[in-house]
Amino acid sequence: MDNGDIEGGGSEDEFHTKQSGRKYRPVVAHDPAVLEMSSVPPGSSSQEKTNTNSDRLNDNTNGSEREHRLELFGFDSLVNILGLKSMTGEQVAAPSSPRGDGEDAPVTFDRDRPGHNDLKLGTLMGVFVPCLQNILGIIYYIRFSWIVGMAGIGESLVLVAFCGLCTFLTGISLSAIATNGAMKGGGPYYLIGRALGPEIGVSIGLCFFLGNAVAGALYVLGAVETFLNAFPAAGLFGEAITTFNGTEVAHPIQSPSSHDLQIYGIVVTILICFIVFGGVKMINRVAPAFLIPVLFSLFCIFIGIFLAKKDYPADGITGLSLESFKENWSSDYQFTNNAGIPDPEGKVYWNFNALVGLFFPAVTGIMAGSNRSASLKDTQRSIPIGTLAATLATTALYLVSVLFFGALATRDALLTDRLLTATVAWPFPAIIYVGIILSTLGAALQSMTGAPRLLAAIANDEILPVLNYFKVADGHEPHIATLFTAFICVGCVVIGNLDLITPTVTMFYLLCYAGVNLSCFLLDLLDAPSWRPRWKIHHWSLSLLGASLCIVIMFLISWSFTVVSLALASLIYYYVSIKGKAGDWGDGFKSAYFQLALRSLRSLGANQVHPKNWYPIPLVFCRPWGKLPENVPCHPKLADFANCMKKKGRGMSIFVSILDGDYHEHAEDAKAACKQLSTYIDYKCCEGVAEIVVAPNMSEGFRGIVQTMGLGNLKPNIVVMRYPEIWRRENLKEIPATFVGIINDCIVANKAVVIVKGLDEWPNEYQMQYGTIDLYWIVRDGGLMLLLSQLLRTKKSFENCKIQVFCIAEEDSDAEELKADVKKFLYDLRMQAEVIVISMKSWDVQIEGGSQQDEWSESFTPAQQRIAGYLAEMKRAAQGDENKLMADGKPVVVNEQQVEKFLYTTLKLNSTILRYSRMAAVVLVSLPPPPVHHPAYFYMEYMDLLVENVPRLLIVRGYRRDVVTLFT
């Protein structure tokens, strides 16, 4: 029955009458966490029911004090067994197999969550402030007005927009990857490595480490140069005098000595190194305070710009003037000396490309938030908002500053006054000196803090053995990595020239940004089921554009530096490929191998598939329980359902059918049937292949299929078949044994199982469904049921449906805790669903009133009688000997109390489904394994009670593999 039939037809009472009189109560958003699930009374007297329930409570096969309810499912409390508590780092012992034969190995979700951190920061202090502090730095204060004077207002606007667009697109890619799961330490290295593989991750990660270390030297030199300009008397070697020849009268221009820069820079680097040794907690507390002088200094600069007058406060300062704006609109590229002072005899010629290299470090720093992921309360919310807000705010500041600086002073003043910001600042220049020094020292402190931790994160992954010296235990400071970073920083400080260092930093940052964009491009293009970022504003074309801009900017700055940086990354990549240890992080290239299938089969091998690369490969069992119309080789709705198990139609399905008989006699018939089935699959627009197997009977044919079908990791992992609803109606007594045999074969072969009940009513892609997709999550299934519900919602027919997850708690006290754990678990999986916990009361609770007892008896009593009749036939065949009972050619052991308990289990669950999910678009419920030594006929009775009156039901059983993961 379609939802449209329910909505459009009749009154609610009429609908209740059609569905066996059982009343429907829809589940709404404000329902309490605990929904009581009343006991199932048999149709006998009250005293008999009480005794039976008491015996059932005392019968504990596992020897524990408390019985496991829903025994047929191998039910264990989700709180303890599913592993939700391990999300907090608590280790939970794996249960023994409910079957007792080892078929269910312990299954745990991949949730190696980051270590607990007491310091949890929000979006403002955890991401926005660090990003703003790293982006706003020395370039703006002592180089930006010079850039405006050299490039002019017009090209300066293009320069800012060009560089800002690159970092903004990178921020979008970073937001998408960072919100696709929990993050560990390592920042961009972790993101790139998990997306592009360990080799690329390590090579780009080491280059990014070098970029951070060199950036520390850049900030230190900026702080020292500012200090020496503010206090010239502090210079040890005196000042260098440069003559400016751009005006009619030569003016002496003073700049600090390079030796002073080197000596003071080394001292400051050593002091910062000692601070870093004090620990990251102290740095995290102090670092935000460095931003306050920066913001105040910006305020003073803009106040000074508005208050400036002609020839005040210095020569060349015109105030906001339209004439200055027109004069400075065009570019004036020229030669300068090494200090950036215009000089016709200078050796350095500046053009737009060179200015890109000089300015680009002023827009870097967008990774500061991702580097602090372990300290954030909500990384999936804070990183996108904080990073993009800081990027947009600083870009807007730069664009406005271009206009103001261009209209503020003459070109001569812009090119000669290296501290124009201090000259115009209100009320006095010292504020700017303090702001520059504190901002650059704070940025240097961040670089000296982040770089060693990045190196330690690379070492801790144990991909590159040579880096093992830098490994650190959890909770310890990376002292050796800090010393190594300080050594690199001191080496760059010795160079002493800011303009020579900035292109090097730019190359390493651009290489990292290109890696982030390529990672998002690959993940977005492949669009694996595990790719579900919370940040929705992204597209593979934007990531590709961002990566292209990074490469273009690298070559614009310097093709030689670009070649050197790419060669360095390539050498590291080659070294990691040879010497590094292999690691499977579920990266995007592995996902691409699955889509390339045969071409990548050798690379994949036959190892266990990482949950992030898991794709459903359905084995669709076309052999119907009954007859199909002539020339129709497969149920028409099976292909529609197989398409619902694929994200955007991607993936492969294997449609199989079985011809009874001898292979030599029916080989040609099998080829013709295979061709017919393949044609039908193409007609149904389903990506898949057809296979026909000839076997003596269905059971042997399926057993051969499940063992041999597929190659390597491209073997089918889910068996899809129709529920045999006709077996009782047409009295097909051979169906139970075949059906149970197929399920057991799937369990032994470690295949997941999805059984579709109500296949005739399954919607096609044009039939829109409304309501809910209800999951009755009873046993561990590796997350398969959750993933199937998400895949259903990607289809147009189910996109308007909401997901409800029903979990079973044995005691009321477990319900609230279980609900909170499951909600947190679903949030980390990026799955939108409402969690509803049902508490199962004791089995001996009696239901007052006769109407509900009569209703349950209508289903229970006939099933009980049929089982009793079947048992009597077995006893007659065994001549009354209980030890010689045979069914389906196998010896069986019948425990009548256990049989009755299983009947109660399925009937109780069926009643709960009808109570809360009668109007659901589709219901998913766990498939109980066939009990060992029970006749197949009994199992079919249990299943019939479970599916009774549920119009559209998916019965799901997972396998010994996780198909979902928390991490990106």
Side-chain angles (χ1 to χ4, degrees):
M1 178 182 293
D2 291 333
N3 287 339
D5 298 334
I6 296 175
E7 293 175 358
S11 64
E12 184 176 358
D13 292 335
E14 291 175 351
F15 178 72
H16 291 162
T17 304
K18 294 178 183 178
Q19 298 293 336
S20 305
R22 300 189 184 183
K23 294 189 177 182
Y24 163 72
R25 185 179 72 82
V27 178
V28 294
H30 56 270
D31 274 3
V34 181
L35 302 176
E36 294 182 354
M37 188 174 180
S38 56
S39 65
V40 186
S44 54
S45 65
S46 299
Q47 184 62 37
E48 291 174 346
K49 285 177 285 197
T50 302
N51 295 336
T52 302
N53 288 332
S54 299
D55 294 338
R56 199 160 45 243
L57 286 172
N58 293 330
D59 180 19
N60 192 329
T61 58
N62 292 332
S64 61
E65 294 182 0
R66 187 174 65 174
E67 174 196 31
H68 286 198
R69 315 299 197 268
L70 294 177
E71 285 186 4
L72 177 61
F73 292 83
F75 171 78
D76 290 294
S77 174
L78 285 171
V79 176
N80 298 323
I81 302 304
L82 184 61
L84 295 177
K85 282 196 172 184
S86 66
M87 294 168 59
T88 61
E90 186 176 335
Q91 296 297 325
V92 182
S96 60
S97 169
R99 285 279 300 266
D101 55 4
E103 122 281 348
D104 253 341
V107 178
T108 56
F109 289 103
D110 181 9
R111 55 166 69 87
D112 294 329
R113 299 182 62 83
H116 180 67
N117 194 333
D118 294 332
L119 181 61
K120 294 298 181 182
L121 303 175
T123 302
L124 180 63
M125 299 305 297
V127 180
F128 182 78
V129 169
C131 286
L132 201 64
Q133 184 177 6
N134 279 266
I135 294 173
L136 283 177
I138 187 66
I139 299 297
Y140 179 80
Y141 287 103
I142 69 176
R143 292 293 187 270
F144 196 61
S145 60
W146 183 89
I147 291 174
V148 175
M150 187 66 69
I153 297 174
E155 293 193 22
S156 295
L157 291 174
V158 174
L159 173 66
V160 173
F162 186 59
C163 297
L165 178 63
C166 178
T167 55
F168 181 73
L169 293 177
T170 304
I172 292 177
S173 299
L174 173 67
S175 301
I177 303 177
T179 58
N180 192 51
M183 286 178 56
K184 293 183 180 180
Y189 154 72
Y190 180 82
L191 299 179
I192 296 172
R194 268 58 180 179
L196 299 181
E199 294 86 359
I200 297 180
V202 171
S203 57
I204 295 182
L206 288 177
C207 290
F208 189 61
F209 158 74
L210 292 175
N212 275 275
V214 175
L218 168 69
Y219 297 132
V220 168
L221 285 176
V224 171
E225 182 176 343
T226 305
F227 173 75
L228 292 176
N229 281 323
F231 303 99
L236 301 177
F237 293 90
E239 297 172 323
I241 306 298
T242 305
T243 302
F244 173 66
N245 297 320
T247 59
E248 296 180 358
V249 180
H251 295 279
I253 304 299
Q254 299 177 345
S255 62
S257 170
S258 60
H259 297 298
D260 288 335
L261 291 176
Q262 293 168 348
I263 293 176
Y264 279 100
I266 293 173
V267 173
V268 172
T269 303
I270 294 174
L271 291 177
I272 292 177
C273 185
F274 277 110
I275 296 175
V276 173
F277 267 93
V280 71
K281 290 185 178 180
M282 181 179 66
I283 297 171
N284 287 337
R285 293 191 186 100
V286 175
F290 284 99
L291 186 63
I292 297 176
V294 177
L295 298 178
F296 183 69
S297 64
L298 291 176
F299 174 77
C300 294
I301 290 172
F302 283 98
I303 293 296
I305 289 174
F306 285 108
L307 296 179
K309 298 178 181 179
K310 188 175 182 180
D311 296 329
Y312 178 83
D315 292 341
I317 303 299
T318 63
L320 295 179
S321 168
L322 183 60
E323 293 182 0
S324 298
F325 188 89
K326 293 179 179 178
E327 177 190 350
N328 296 327
W329 177 260
S330 60
S331 61
D332 186 15
Y333 297 117
Q334 53 188 295
F335 286 93
T336 68
N337 59 17
N338 290 335
I341 305 301
D343 186 354
E345 298 179 359
K347 298 181 180 179
V348 181
Y349 180 78
W350 292 92
N351 54 22
F352 184 84
N353 296 355
L355 290 182
V356 171
L358 177 62
F359 174 72
F360 194 81
V363 297
T364 59
I366 61 175
M367 300 294 181
S370 62
N371 290 337
R372 292 167 172 249
S373 58
S375 300
L376 299 178
K377 293 178 182 177
D378 189 350
T379 57
Q380 300 187 20
R381 179 180 181 274
S382 297
I383 289 179
I385 296 176
T387 302
L388 293 177
T391 303
L392 292 175
T394 52
T395 303
L397 172 67
Y398 291 152
L399 292 173
V400 172
S401 298
V402 168
L403 301 176
F404 282 170
F405 286 153
L408 175 65
T410 63
R411 191 178 299 273
D412 294 341
L414 292 174
L415 291 174
T416 57
D417 192 347
R418 302 299 295 271
L419 280 171
L420 183 69
T421 53
T423 303
V424 301
W426 177 88
F428 41 79
I431 293 178
I432 303 303
Y433 293 138
V434 173
I436 294 174
I437 294 172
L438 290 181
S439 66
T440 50
L441 290 180
L445 192 63
Q446 292 293 338
S447 296
M448 290 287 291
T449 303
R453 280 153 183 80
L454 174 59
L455 183 60
I458 299 174
N460 285 342
D461 279 337
E462 298 182 345
I463 299 298
L464 206 57
V466 74
L467 299 179
N468 288 342
Y469 298 103
F470 304 110
K471 291 173 58 178
V472 293
D474 292 339
H476 290 74
E477 295 293 325
H479 295 309
I480 299 178
T482 302
L483 290 175
F484 183 68
T485 304
F487 176 78
I488 295 177
C489 188
V490 168
C492 293
V493 167
V494 170
I495 297 176
N497 192 322
L498 196 66
D499 297 333
L500 293 179
I501 294 178
T502 48
T504 307
V505 176
T506 303
M507 289 301 171
F508 289 135
Y509 274 98
L510 282 169
L511 191 62
C512 177
Y513 295 169
V516 172
N517 282 299
L518 288 176
S519 300
C520 187
F521 165 73
L522 180 63
L523 294 173
D524 218 352
L525 195 63
L526 295 175
D527 203 13
S530 63
W531 177 245
R532 299 184 303 276
R534 290 189 176 276
W535 181 257
K536 303 300 182 183
I537 308 174
H538 66 92
H539 192 264
W540 64 265
S541 59
L542 295 179
S543 300
L544 182 60
L545 177 60
S548 302
L549 282 178
C550 292
I551 302 299
V552 169
I553 292 176
M554 291 177 70
F555 281 98
L556 281 178
I557 295 171
S558 172
W559 68 267
S560 58
F561 272 100
T562 301
V563 171
V564 170
S565 60
L566 292 177
L568 177 61
S570 300
L571 287 175
I572 298 175
Y573 176 88
Y574 183 71
Y575 181 78
V576 174
S577 301
I578 297 176
K579 300 292 185 179
K581 297 181 180 179
D584 185 9
W585 294 341
D587 54 86
F589 285 125
K590 290 293 177 64
S591 183
Y593 293 157
F594 274 91
Q595 293 199 25
L596 294 174
L598 295 177
R599 181 179 177 183
S600 304
L601 190 58
R602 175 179 290 182
S603 299
L604 289 170
N607 296 325
Q608 179 176 340
V609 180
H610 195 282
K612 286 161 56 180
N613 299 140
W614 189 88
Y615 284 81
I617 305 178
L619 178 68
V620 183
F621 192 41
C622 299
R623 177 84 176 253
W625 308 107
K627 294 183 179 180
L628 287 173
E630 189 175 357
N631 297 326
V632 179
C634 176
H635 195 290
K637 296 291 186 178
L638 271 177
D640 294 334
F641 177 75
N643 276 331
C644 289
M645 300 178 69
K646 304 171 188 174
K647 190 174 182 180
K648 298 182 181 179
R650 295 190 180 99
M652 179 180 66
S653 300
I654 302 177
F655 291 77
V656 298
S657 189
I658 299 172
L659 291 181
D660 294 337
D662 182 77
Y663 175 73
H664 295 280
E665 296 178 1
H666 297 279
E668 294 300 322
D669 295 338
K671 293 179 182 178
C674 186
K675 184 176 181 180
Q676 183 186 28
L677 180 57
S678 180
T679 303
Y680 188 78
I681 294 171
D682 293 337
Y683 166 75
K684 295 295 291 184
C685 299
C686 184
E687 292 184 2
V689 296
E691 293 288 346
I692 302 295
V693 175
V694 180
N697 53 62
M698 186 187 298
S699 296
E700 292 189 18
F702 183 85
R703 192 167 294 125
I705 289 172
V706 80
Q707 291 182 74
T708 60
M709 192 64 65
L711 294 173
N713 270 327
L714 293 180
K715 290 182 178 178
N717 46 34
I718 301 178
V719 175
V720 178
M721 59 182 171
R722 183 185 187 185
Y723 183 79
E725 302 171 60
I726 66 171
W727 80 280
R728 191 186 308 283
R729 184 172 64 249
E730 299 185 14
N731 195 27
L732 301 176
K733 294 185 178 181
E734 73 279 1
I735 285 183
T738 304
F739 181 73
V740 171
I742 288 176
I743 294 177
N744 281 324
D745 291 340
C746 293
I747 294 174
V748 173
N750 193 29
K751 306 290 185 185
V753 182
V754 177
I755 301 174
V756 187
K757 193 263 182 183
L759 188 62
D760 294 334
E761 285 76 36
W762 192 264
N764 58 34
E765 58 179 332
Y766 305 108
Q767 294 174 316
M768 297 297 295
Q769 302 298 300
Y770 300 91
T772 59
I773 299 174
D774 291 353
L775 282 65
Y776 286 81
W777 198 14
I778 300 174
V779 294
R780 298 164 296 131
D781 60 357
L784 178 61
M785 192 182 297
L786 295 172
L787 187 60
L788 285 179
S789 65
Q790 294 293 321
L791 293 175
L792 285 177
R793 288 201 65 225
T794 62
K795 298 303 173 183
K796 188 174 182 179
S797 54
F798 289 98
E799 64 183 1
N800 294 320
C801 298
K802 296 182 179 179
I803 297 176
Q804 295 184 141
V805 178
F806 292 82
C807 299
I808 310 298
E810 291 190 14
E811 301 293 340
D812 293 355
S813 59
D814 294 336
E816 291 294 340
E817 182 182 8
L818 174 58
K819 182 175 183 179
D821 286 343
V822 174
K823 287 180 69 175
K824 173 62 176 172
F825 180 62
L826 294 177
Y827 177 81
D828 287 341
L829 287 175
R830 295 89 65 203
M831 293 184 177
Q832 301 287 338
E834 180 182 358
V835 179
I836 301 167
V837 178
I838 298 176
S839 177
M840 298 188 65
K841 289 188 173 181
S842 301
W843 287 89
D844 57 349
V845 176
Q846 300 300 309
I847 298 179
E848 298 180 2
S851 60
Q852 192 170 0
Q853 292 184 13
D854 294 338
E855 177 188 335
W856 291 48
S857 297
E858 289 178 3
S859 300
F860 178 83
T861 303
Q864 194 177 39
Q865 292 174 350
R866 289 191 296 268
I867 286 179
Y870 189 86
L871 182 60
E873 291 181 10
M874 287 194 300
K875 290 181 178 179
R876 282 196 298 270
Q879 298 179 352
D881 190 350
E882 292 283 346
N883 296 324
K884 295 183 180 180
L885 295 180
M886 299 288 293
D888 309 320
K890 300 177 182 179
V892 297
V893 178
V894 178
N895 184 330
E896 296 186 22
Q897 288 185 343
Q898 192 178 43
V899 171
E900 185 183 62
K901 189 183 300 181
F902 289 166
L903 289 173
Y904 283 139
T905 295
T906 53
L907 183 60
K908 191 171 189 176
L909 183 57
N910 173 262
S911 177
T912 304
I913 294 173
L914 292 177
R915 181 182 181 190
Y916 299 113
S917 304
R918 190 187 294 271
M919 299 290 287
V922 62
V923 177
L924 288 81
V925 67
S926 299
L927 171 68
V932 180
H933 304 311
H934 278 226
Y937 182 90
F938 288 11
Y939 183 77
M940 291 303 299
E941 290 288 351
Y942 307 151
M943 295 299 297
D944 279 355
L945 283 181
L946 175 63
V947 305
E948 184 182 16
N949 295 324
V950 182
R952 195 181 293 155
L953 183 70
L954 300 182
I955 315 172
V956 181
R957 177 175 177 82
Y959 64 132
R960 295 188 294 273
R961 295 287 186 273
D962 294 337
V963 299
V964 295
T965 179
L966 298 177
F967 294 102
T968 184

